[in-house]
Amino acid sequence: MRLFHFLKFLTINNFSRYCLKIVKVHIIWITIICIIYFNWRFKKLDFMAIPYPPAVIKFNTSAKYLSSNLASSSQLGNNIFEIASLYGLSKHLNRTPLFFIENGYHKKMLDNLRKTMPRLMEKFRILNGSVPRSISETKFQRACCLHKSPWSLEKNRDEYLHLSGKYYQSWKYFPNMRNELIEFLNPTSIQIFGNLPISDDQNHVTCVHSRRGDFVEYLFYASDPKFMKNAVTFLNENEKVGSRNRKIVLFGDDLNFLETYFSDAVLSTDVGKNAEYYISQNPPIDDFLYSKNNCDVVLITAPRSTFGWWIGYFSKGNKVYYLDIKYTGDHIFESGGLIASDFYPSHWTPLKFASANSFTVVRS
Ligand SMILES: *[C@@H]1O[C@H](CO)[C@@H](O)[C@H](O)[C@H]1NC(C)=O
Ligand SMILES: *[C@@H]1O[C@H](CO)[C@@H](O)[C@H](O)[C@H]1NC(C)=O
């Protein structure tokens, strides 16, 4: 009865009606704001990054293990650096390398590496799950591209040694392991390089790696067409090829860029066409295998590119030229995060422009 009276009172009372109207309008607005907010949150939610449940591990196994945090969402070149370095470190420390599949990105990284370097991944014990809380983290490798002496790790007697670092971009973590790492490249991958020239007693192949794409966005030094062209001129003058034909094969993530500046080049998919310049359209694993079998000389034009680095490292001729990072304004280099002698092997040759007002390319 009371409620009835109250409702009656409400319907009669103009002031109450006015209040109800205001509340209704606000409810609509609040609903709209909530929808926008959850939509935004939902989009930001990265399912790949959701951690897997902790891995089940055994203690007192009489073995010693080594693992690390990983920049698993980075690209293949970065992934190979981390795994090659951890493998090198594990040999040095006499430990078994471990790979924790911590989330979807780790899973993707593992799948890509198994396709590219299956026998390297076989050296790792794979655990499906995050690093359990019972394993504490040991500080190591605070910057991407320099070498830390592992002497501080040699004294560590923990059964599970898990490192806090990422990237491990220094050849010094895997010294004298070039032949072994090359052998780890997937030999069963179908080696069809399309139209690309074969290095033999007829043809000498120079491989030129470029990188634009996200490097432009990250303010990393992206390949400069003037440097690319004039460095090729430098190589033509400085690399003796005898009576062999010179062939130039271009690699890069920006086909439009390559076709604009090398308009005479033919694509690896243009079967039957013969030219001086070629552009690879092959998948990354085939580019590595192509380099292993055919690149007599490699030129790296985006000096921070790890993919370019591996094209050079795996190359047939093991003769690599690169743009000296000193002249690129690279912010990681300028802030001390990259030590050139740790990153670039000492037998590789740095190049630069002759002077501020000359685009001629010379040794740095
Ligand atoms: C690994 O763990 C994830 C997450 O718990 C699960 O979805 C997946 O099926 C597991 N994979 C294997 C091979 O056990
Ligand atoms: C490992 O073995 C030691 C000594 O036998 C023991 O004290 C310790 O509790 C064991 N740890 C685990 C996790 O089982």
Side-chain angles (χ1 to χ4, degrees), residues 117-134:
M117 303 184 82
R119 285 166 54 212
L120 175 56
M121 287 324 293
E122 281 168 18
K123 304 284 181 188
F124 281 71
R125 277 221 19 222
I126 313 289
L127 289 171
N128 192 28
S130 310
V131 179
R133 277 171 201 275
S134 47

Side-chain angles (χ1 to χ4, degrees), residues 5 23 25-26 55 67 73 81 111 113 119 201 214 224 239 246 262 276 287 294-295 324 341-342 349:
H5 280 297
V23 168
V25 170
H26 275 82
S67 57
S73 62
F81 253 118
D111 291 344
L113 287 169
R119 285 166 54 212
D201 49 14
D214 55 343
D224 170 354
E239 284 291 331
R246 269 182 211 280
F262 298 90
E276 187 186 358
D287 284 345
N294 298 292
C295 295
D324 192 334
S341 58
D342 288 352
T349 310

